[in-house]
């Protein structure tokens, strides 16, 4: 399967850039909001001190004492509330503070710049409870509508702080201040900064992406070029290995051809000599035939002038019969030799599949039989081949390429057997896979060699006798067919190679 580097890089990079940009944006927003909350909390605390210094002893301290014995309804009617309200308004005028509240230790609102809220119970409010513990609690809230100094403001972001207030000169908690300050301008500034930061990040990431895209695109082009060169090199190596394999068979095939050719040639020479012995009888018979054609109608007697034929007549009868028998035997032998040569040519044609398309439905059993016939020419006579054919369907494959695989496995098995032994070839169907096993009882494969058996150029043969390409190319061919090839040591000795092939060829083999 081809790995599309540029597409994967583009998708991965864009996803990373978006994720990184979003993470940086969120990180900046969290930092900015945290700093803003800290700053606004500090401002609210300082403002609380201002209120405390200005109004606490003058108003709120006495108000806390008076409120202790009054109901929530009575709190709103206290006579000092209007005066406190005027002083609070004077202090808040021109500031970003929208509202202040003062709670007693029971959580009742003893004062609020929103007068209608005086007397409300906030004893369960988390911010109030935190302030009771001596902690300042601040949070950012958004209000669609908000009452501030008897007016309503809309769509505002507010900083809400609960600040503990102590008695002057004492660590005893007296009450709790709640202050609302406007954070809308600060958030708008943060959003503007976010936009500028996002633009800057997008520009930097875009420039980085463009530079990397150019590099990756060029690298992808080089990789694809190298892959094409590697594929071409593998094809050339495969062809070279195939020619080397065929070269090993030339001697055996030539012997198989030379034997019938030799005795056919000899028989032809003998037949020619025998035909010369029939020259005189044939000449005499031809002379008699010519005279017979010249006889007048009604004449059945023929007078012969034997002349030169007289001395050879006594031997003609015996020689002619023997010569004809010899010629018949010789022609029969010639015919047998021609049949052997025709069978060899047919098997060679089937082995190379020169007259077939690249991918066809092929009977693997018949293909293996052809490979075995060809391989026998180079296998010593002491090696026996045992065939076990399973009931398997025809598969879509490139027969010529698979012939190269099978020939390599059978030849290797024969080379692993010293003098006498057995090569077992078995086929079977397993699910939608055809299984081919080639095993031998030879010397086997050492444990340290087994992991490297399919590596290119790896060979255990002496220098000059092996290229180390056979099994590597066989593995490439089988994988290209969507199959797998593996090797396991035999029981006690030898080795077993197992090839599995899908019934239907993948697109990779159809394009080869």
């Amino acid at each position: 399967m081809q790995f599309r580097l540029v597409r994967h890089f583009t998708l991965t990079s864009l996803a990373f850039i978006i994720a990184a940009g979003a993470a940086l944006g969120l990180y900046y927003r969290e930092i900015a909001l945290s700093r803003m909350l800290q700053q606004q909390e500090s401002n609210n605390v300082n403002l609380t001190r201002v209120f405390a210094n200005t109004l606490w002893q003058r108003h709120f301290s006495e108000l806390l004492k008076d409120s202790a014995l009054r109901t929530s309804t009575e709190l709103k009617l206290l006579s000092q509330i209007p005066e406190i309200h005027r002083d609070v308004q004077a202090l808040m005028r021109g500031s970003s503070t929208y509202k202040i509240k003062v709670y007693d230790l029971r959580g009742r609102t003893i004062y609020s710049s929103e007068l209608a809220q005086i007397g409300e119970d906030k004893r369960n409010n988390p911010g109030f409870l935190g302030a009771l513990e001596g902690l300042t609690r601040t949070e950012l809230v958004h209000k669609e509508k908000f009452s501030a100094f008897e007016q309503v403001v809309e769509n505002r972001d507010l900083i809400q702080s609960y600040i503990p207030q102590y008695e002057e000169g004492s660590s005893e908690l007296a009450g709790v201040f709640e202050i609302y300050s406007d954070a809308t301008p600060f958030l708008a500034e943060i959003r503007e900064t976010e936009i500028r930061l996002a633009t800057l990040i997008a520009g930097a990431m875009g420039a980085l992406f463009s530079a990397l895209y150019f590099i990756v695109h060029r690298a992808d082009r080089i990789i694809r070029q190298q892959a094409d060169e590697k594929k071409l090199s593998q094809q050339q190596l495969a062809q070279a290995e195939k020619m080397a394999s065929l070269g090993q068979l030339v001697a055996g095939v030539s012997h198989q051809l030379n034997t019938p050719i030799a005795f056919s040639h000899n028989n032809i020479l003998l037949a020619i000599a025998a035909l010369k012995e029939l020259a005189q009888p044939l000449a005499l018979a031809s002379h008699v035939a010519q005279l017979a054609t010249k006889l007048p109608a009604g004449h059945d007697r023929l007078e012969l002038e034997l002349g030169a034929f007289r001395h050879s007549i006594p031997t003609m009868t015996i020689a002619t019969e023997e010569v004809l028998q010899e010629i018949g035997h010789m022609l029969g032998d010639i015919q047998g030799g021609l049949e052997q040569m025709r069978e060899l040519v047919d098997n060679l044609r089937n082995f190379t599949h020169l007259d077939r398309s690249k991918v066809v439905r092929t009977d693997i059993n018949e293909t293996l039989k052809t490979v075995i016939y060809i391989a026998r020419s180079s296998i010593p006579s002491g090696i026996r081949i045992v065939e076990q054919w399973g009931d398997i369907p025809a598969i879509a494959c490139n027969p010529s390429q698979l012939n190269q695989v099978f020939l390599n496995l059978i030849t290797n098995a024969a080379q692993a057997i010293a003098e006498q032994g057995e090569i077992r070839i078995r086929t079977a169907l397993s699910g939608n896979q055809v299984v081919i096993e080639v095993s031998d009882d030879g010397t086997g494969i050492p444990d340290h060699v087994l992991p490297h058996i399919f590596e290119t150029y790896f060979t255990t043969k002496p220098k000059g006798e092996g290229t180390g390409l056979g099994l590597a190319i066989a593995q490439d061919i089988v994988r290209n067919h969507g199959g797998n090839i593996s090797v396991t040591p035999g029981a006690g000795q030898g080795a077993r190679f197992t090839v599995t092939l899908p019934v239907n060829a993948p697109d990779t083999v159809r394009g080869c």
Side-chain angles (χ1 to χ4, degrees):
M1 180 178 179
Q2 184 180 7
F3 182 79
R4 300 184 180 278
L5 177 61
V6 174
R7 183 170 68 180
H8 283 79
F9 166 78
T10 302
L11 295 176
T12 304
S13 299
L14 289 177
F16 173 79
I17 289 173
I18 293 172
L24 288 174
L26 290 174
Y27 177 73
Y28 165 77
R29 184 174 180 82
E30 290 296 325
I31 294 296
L33 288 177
S34 176
R35 290 181 177 177
M36 185 195 71
L37 286 174
Q38 292 176 1
Q39 182 64 39
Q40 288 301 106
E41 182 180 283
S42 177
N43 292 341
N44 287 347
V45 170
N46 292 333
L47 184 59
T48 300
R49 290 179 183 149
V50 171
F51 278 106
N53 293 335
T54 305
L55 302 175
W56 189 262
Q57 293 298 328
R58 180 179 175 186
H59 293 300
F60 293 128
S61 182
E62 291 298 324
L63 183 60
L64 282 169
K65 295 177 182 179
D66 290 344
S67 65
L69 301 175
R70 298 181 184 275
T71 65
S72 297
T73 303
E74 291 173 340
L75 285 175
K76 296 179 181 180
L77 302 177
L78 289 175
S79 58
Q80 62 265 44
I81 292 298
E83 182 182 358
I84 295 173
H85 192 57
R86 285 194 300 272
D87 290 343
V88 170
Q89 284 184 316
L91 284 173
M92 293 175 60
R93 187 174 295 113
S95 70
S96 61
T97 304
Y98 275 3
K99 183 187 292 188
I100 71 166
K101 292 182 180 182
V102 180
Y103 300 100
D104 62 17
L105 297 181
R106 291 183 294 172
R108 284 196 309 167
T109 306
I110 64 171
Y111 173 77
S112 173
S113 56
E114 183 66 25
L115 296 176
Q117 295 178 343
I118 295 176
E120 290 182 349
D121 188 352
K122 295 291 184 179
R123 70 180 70 182
N124 295 321
N125 185 284
F128 171 77
L129 295 176
L132 284 182
E133 297 176 358
L135 303 174
T136 299
R137 293 292 181 87
T138 301
E139 62 179 339
L140 177 66
V141 295
H142 181 79
K143 300 289 185 179
E144 296 293 337
K145 290 186 178 182
F146 184 74
S147 297
F149 290 104
E150 310 303 334
Q151 63 175 340
V152 176
V153 293
E154 297 182 349
N155 196 25
R156 307 301 289 181
D157 295 297
L158 304 172
I159 300 294
Q160 179 182 10
S161 297
Y162 292 85
I163 305 167
Q165 179 61 39
Y166 300 91
E167 291 289 353
E168 186 175 0
S170 172
S171 61
E172 184 179 352
L173 187 65
V176 175
F177 268 98
E178 181 184 2
I179 296 182
Y180 288 85
S181 57
D182 189 13
T184 305
F186 300 102
L187 288 178
E189 183 178 351
I190 290 175
R191 281 191 288 269
E192 290 178 2
T193 305
E194 283 181 327
I195 293 174
R196 290 195 296 270
L197 180 62
T199 303
L200 179 62
I201 292 174
M205 291 292 188
L208 177 62
F209 173 79
S210 299
L212 292 177
Y213 180 85
F214 173 77
I215 295 173
V216 171
H217 187 271
R218 180 173 177 78
D220 180 64
R221 187 168 53 195
I222 294 173
I223 290 172
R224 283 189 282 109
Q225 181 180 356
Q226 291 176 341
D228 292 339
E229 292 174 353
K230 180 181 178 181
K231 184 177 180 181
L232 178 61
S233 176
Q234 287 177 336
Q235 291 175 346
Q236 292 173 344
L237 289 174
Q239 185 64 24
E241 176 64 17
K242 185 172 183 178
M243 295 304 296
S245 299
L246 290 175
Q248 295 175 5
L249 299 177
V250 167
V253 171
S254 63
H255 174 73
Q256 285 184 279
L257 283 174
N258 281 335
T259 299
I261 288 175
F263 70 71
S264 295
H265 180 266
N266 184 60
N267 285 353
I268 290 173
L269 293 178
L270 293 175
I272 291 174
L275 288 175
K276 288 181 179 180
E277 294 181 11
L278 294 177
Q280 286 186 339
L282 289 175
L284 177 59
S286 176
H287 178 64
V288 171
Q290 289 178 0
L291 293 176
T293 56
K294 295 177 180 179
L295 285 176
H299 290 75
D300 297 328
R301 297 179 63 84
L302 181 63
E303 293 183 1
L304 295 177
E305 289 291 338
L306 296 177
F309 296 105
R310 180 178 294 277
H311 69 281
S312 58
I313 288 176
T315 61
M316 283 186 184
T317 304
I318 299 174
T320 301
E321 293 179 356
E322 292 178 351
V323 169
L324 288 175
Q325 289 179 356
E326 289 178 1
I327 291 175
H329 287 307
M330 288 184 286
L331 292 177
D333 291 341
I334 292 172
Q335 184 180 15
L338 292 175
E339 285 295 325
Q340 291 181 26
M341 288 186 282
R342 183 188 62 79
E343 182 182 8
L344 181 58
V345 170
D346 287 344
N347 279 280
L348 283 172
R349 186 184 67 242
N350 292 335
F351 177 77
T352 56
H353 288 83
L354 296 176
D355 59 342
R356 298 188 184 181
S357 59
K358 288 186 176 180
V359 178
V360 294
R361 284 282 172 184
T362 303
D363 186 341
I364 292 297
N365 287 343
E366 293 301 320
T367 296
L368 279 165
K369 291 176 184 178
T370 298
V371 175
I372 292 171
Y373 180 92
I374 298 299
R376 285 184 191 276
S377 62
S378 62
I379 294 177
S381 58
I383 298 176
R384 188 166 65 98
I385 297 180
V386 178
E387 304 168 13
Q388 298 177 353
W389 307 119
D391 185 11
I392 59 175
I395 69 171
C397 65
N398 185 316
S400 180
Q401 289 187 354
L402 291 184
N403 282 345
Q404 184 176 354
V405 173
F406 301 145
L407 179 61
N408 183 277
L409 296 180
I410 295 173
T411 302
N412 285 352
Q415 292 173 349
I417 300 173
E419 295 180 359
Q420 292 186 342
E422 184 177 273
I423 299 175
R424 294 170 298 280
I425 300 173
R426 187 181 74 90
T427 61
L429 181 65
S430 177
N432 62 345
Q433 302 277 327
V434 170
V435 180
I436 303 99
E437 291 183 357
V438 178
S439 57
D440 63 78
D441 55 3
T443 56
I445 304 173
D447 292 339
H448 70 279
V449 172
L450 202 59
H452 309 285
I453 200 72
F454 293 106
E455 293 179 4
T456 304
Y457 302 118
F458 180 82
T459 180
T460 57
K461 298 175 182 178
K463 186 176 181 180
E465 292 186 14
T467 63
L469 296 174
L471 289 177
I473 293 173
Q475 185 180 61
D476 287 341
I477 292 173
V478 172
R479 286 180 175 176
N480 194 46
H481 278 74
N484 184 57
I485 181 172
S486 61
V487 58
T488 54
Q493 58 181 351
R496 180 174 67 252
F497 284 84
T498 302
V499 176
T500 58
L501 296 169
V503 174
N504 296 311
D507 294 337
T508 51
V509 69
R510 294 184 184 277
C512 63

